[in-house]
Amino acid sequence: MIEVTAFKWVPPFAQGSVRDIRVRWALEEAGLGYDDRLIGLEDRTTAAYRAVQPFGQVPAYRDDTVEMFESGAIVLWIAQGSDQLMPADPAGRAMVMTWLFAAMNSIEPFVAELATIDLFNAEKDWAKARRPEVEAAVRKRLADLQAALGPRRWFANDRFSAADILMTHVLRDLRHTDILTDFPALADYVARCQTRPAFRRALEDQMTPFRTEEAKNPALTGGTA
Ligand SMILES: N[C@@H](CCC(=O)N[C@@H](CS)C(=O)NCC(=O)O)C(=O)O
């Protein structure tokens, strides 16, 4: 039995990009069923949840063999058991790991800094002063990333893999900007990945509980209860 911990509800800006979608997507691609364990934002600080996820974040994951946190590690774990997400040969597996970590370590920090400014601090003086430099750094990374992709469809071994799940999710966090339109090969890549049925199911499964909570409590979306 596989269980993925996710939030019951998050504010609209985060809906569709909470990191459990990485794990849901990997499981869908691998053809593995799972249960979601939905927690409230208030559960983040409980001792019981901190024992599962030391930072009080989602996702957390468990199956019959392991208990884990960190979405990248979880996706890698799932991929190691799935031909759909990682080829069998050592060189091919190494290339998937390389691009998976490139997404998290070489691209995500830049994208995350921009998102932190835009989504949480846009009106602050320090954010206004810093933003141009941060956007320039993002654009430089994207230019290098687009050059690395070249005419290929996927990042590792010219076939879809776990690395594409991480890379797509990281690049999705630019969707509040129009930056990707200046990188058409990356924009096409993200669009290609997002049309995969496994992604659509993962997105739907993340969003469904949010809609349920909002129907129960209209105040969450600014309506009256
Ligand atoms: N490095 C962690 C980051 C997890 C993370 O940032 N989760 C966010 C949702 S996308 C969260 O739980 N935020 C709530 C909080 O930090 O209190 C991972 O990839 O699993």
Side-chain angles (χ1 to χ4, degrees), residues 7 18-19 22 44 57-59 70-71:
F7 288 131
V18 191
R19 282 175 175 75
R22 299 174 171 184
R44 288 174 292 176
Q57 297 181 313
V58 302
E70 285 299 336
S71 58

